[in-house]
Amino acid sequence: MGQRRRIIAGAALAVASLGALPLLAGASAGSPAGSAGRSGTKALDDTVHLNEIQTIGSHNSYHQVPTGKEYDLRHQFLGDADQALMYQADPLAMQFQNDKVRQIELDAWLDDAGGRYSDPLLRKLAGNGPYDPVMDQPGIKVFHVQDVDYHSSCLTLVACLQQVKTWSDAHPTHVPISILMELKDDELHVGTLPIVLPEPWTTAGMDTLDTEIRSVFSPGDLITPDDIRGSHSTLEEAVTTDGWPTLADSRGKVMFLMDNGGAKRTSYLNGHPSLAGRVLFTNANPGDDDAAFIERNDPTDASIPTLVQDGYVVRSRADEPTQTARDNDTTMRDQALASGAQWVSTDYPRPGMAIGFTSPYFAEIPGGTVARCNPVNGPVGCESAQLDTNYTPYVPPPTPTTTPPTEVTTTTAPSESVEPAGGATPVSGTSTFTG
């Protein structure tokens, strides 16, 4: 069992151990979208391609932390071991407008009949009453782990995607937004604890996933495998020869990526060779027919620059929850930025996002732009400052003078002034995060 699963199991044990104990009482204003349409007007739009830029992504972009009794229940048992679960993402529109995020991650759970996840165990034991009735409705749900880490800023996939579309429609000159989908159905068994058994992902369930995405986004909103493959026999042949569309053809659009490999990737490909008719780009291996997107979460992986040069798009990680920020260790971040991975994912896209500790750590594109010309394959004439100007600086709220002991603050101001992320420089080191 990996570190994340151990923490989750521990959280479940906390619920079991403490359940019998007496319980305690008790979209942002944006910069103008400009007059340019989806094709944009700048000269660079016709020369810079989707895969020739680099942007910041957010990890588990919906994730919220428990507060009050729920926090007490989990923390009393786990102590500092719950730190890996104590990170919180801003609302999606705020991430796009104020955090300069252009790649998000959503964990998706099938709920074909509805109601499977409507009564989380941690919530029940904390005595917090009924959950949102939307959880009783059929449809894919979005959260981290059933029963013990369930808080989300958007409870259903459709609701999350509607937030993305609303912001995108209001800012049609943004560079493409990528949405990484992790299809979840992991079972969690801890003693006799009544933890919900997830609905397993099948090919039919993945058809539902595509249908829900298409219910929100029209064909003109999407960049799909069919769009990229064109007349080529395989998707892999297309991206390594003709490549990806220009910004002129991709501004204001979204694309979907699959985090999973293995059996889930195989199921998604079933009946759809080279992803014909599908919405998501699968997490494939170089040379596979469906290879266009390749995930390399370890930014020290020496293959990333070569993959970028070969025409693939790559996602990597800047930090691990939450130790990287606690240590203010920029090694992983700087390696990821230097690697040329098109999306560098973080839990800290702006200063002041630490919960329960202070740190100057955050991850942004060097120079502070929304996007930058890719350090590995960016073309001559590319200007980072012109790639995406849809950004309003975040103004933090006043720091409260006191914080109740059972509350978890959503933002914690650093104890010292925060400097912008430095230039990307290759560094040595290894990352053990794989999820």
Side-chain angles (χ1 to χ4, degrees), residues 41 83 99 116 185 188 220 237 292 333 370 376 381 384 402 416 424:
T41 59
Q83 291 177 352
D99 299 348
R116 184 178 292 264
D185 58 8
L188 184 61
E237 179 183 285
R333 179 199 71 184
V370 176
V376 169
S384 296
T402 59
E416 56 186 274

Side-chain angles (χ1 to χ4, degrees), residues 229-243:
R229 189 188 319 97
S231 60
H232 290 275
S233 59
T234 70
L235 184 59
E236 196 269 346
E237 179 183 285
V239 299
T240 57
T241 54
D242 289 349

Side-chain angles (χ1 to χ4, degrees), residues 266-289:
T266 299
S267 293
Y268 193 70
L269 283 165
N270 185 27
H272 299 269
S274 200
L275 294 171
R278 284 301 199 186
V279 176
L280 276 63
F281 292 86
T282 41
N283 178 11
N285 302 303
D288 290 341
D289 286 353

Side-chain angles (χ1 to χ4, degrees), residues 93-383:
M94 182 176 173
Q95 292 185 47
F96 300 137
Q97 189 64 40
N98 305 111
D99 299 348
K100 298 180 283 191
V101 164
R102 293 296 181 266
Q103 181 257 308
I104 61 172
E105 178 182 355
L106 303 175
D107 288 350
W109 301 76
L110 276 177
D111 189 13
D112 188 58
R116 184 178 292 264
Y117 305 106
S118 61
D119 193 18
L121 185 60
L122 183 63
R123 184 182 190 89
K124 182 189 300 183
L125 291 177
N128 284 340
Y131 199 19
D132 194 309
V134 74
M135 300 298 285
D136 293 326
Q137 300 173 9
I140 297 170
K141 305 304 190 295
V142 174
F143 57 88
H144 190 214
V145 180
Q146 67 272 36
D147 284 314
V148 296
D149 195 30
Y150 69 92
H151 287 280
S152 174
S153 63
C154 48
L155 301 182
T156 70
L157 177 60
V158 167
C160 295
L161 299 185
Q162 287 172 336
Q163 292 179 22
V164 176
K165 181 170 173 56
T166 296
W167 186 88
S168 177
D169 285 349
H171 303 84
T173 59
H174 68 76
V175 297
I177 292 172
S178 299
I179 302 175
L180 181 69
M181 302 296 306
E182 183 173 359
L183 311 188
K184 290 281 196 77
D185 58 8
D186 293 338
E187 296 183 7
L188 184 61
H189 298 281
V190 182
T192 60
L193 209 62
I195 296 175
V196 171
L197 290 178
E199 183 174 345
W201 280 97
T202 62
T203 297
M206 294 172 187
D207 293 342
T208 299
L209 172 63
D210 281 1
T211 298
E212 289 201 11
I213 292 171
R214 293 187 189 278
S215 75
V216 176
F217 295 105
S218 69
D221 296 326
L222 294 169
I223 299 168
T224 67
D226 287 343
D227 296 327
I228 303 305
R229 189 188 319 97
S231 60
H232 290 275
S233 59
T234 70
L235 184 59
E236 196 269 346
E237 179 183 285
V239 299
T240 57
T241 54
D242 289 349
W244 295 84
T246 63
L247 292 182
D249 293 327
S250 56
R251 283 194 184 276
K253 296 186 178 184
V254 299
M255 59 188 294
F256 286 81
L257 316 169
M258 179 183 284
D259 178 73
N260 311 84
K264 289 185 176 64
R265 169 180 165 240
T266 299
S267 293
Y268 193 70
L269 283 165
N270 185 27
H272 299 269
S274 200
L275 294 171
R278 284 301 199 186
V279 176
L280 276 63
F281 292 86
T282 41
N283 178 11
N285 302 303
D288 290 341
D289 286 353
D290 58 319
F293 164 60
I294 296 174
E295 194 170 85
R296 291 290 185 266
N297 286 325
D298 179 356
T300 67
D301 189 320
S303 71
I304 297 176
T306 300
L307 294 170
V308 171
Q309 288 281 22
D310 288 345
Y312 302 105
V313 288
V314 181
R315 180 258 198 176
S316 194
R317 292 292 307 270
D319 39 73
E320 303 177 14
T322 58
Q323 196 59 48
T324 305
R326 292 175 185 274
D327 295 340
N328 189 28
D329 184 353
T330 61
T331 302
M332 186 175 175
R333 179 199 71 184
D334 292 345
Q335 180 66 58
L337 290 166
S339 72
Q342 284 86 354
W343 304 293
V344 176
S345 181
T346 180
D347 286 313
Y348 306 93
R350 62 171 174 81
M353 296 191 74
I355 296 177
F357 65 99
T358 61
S359 172
Y361 177 87
F362 71 108
E364 70 168 7
I365 293 297
T369 54
V370 176
R372 73 163 171 172
C373 308
N374 194 292
V376 169
N377 67 346
V380 174
C382 178
E383 296 183 36

Side-chain angles (χ1 to χ4, degrees), residues 42-49 247 251 381-384 386-387:
K42 299 182 180 67
L44 60 78
D45 278 18
D46 294 322
T47 58
V48 180
H49 293 73
L247 292 182
R251 283 194 184 276
C382 178
E383 296 183 36
S384 296
Q386 294 186 15
L387 292 171

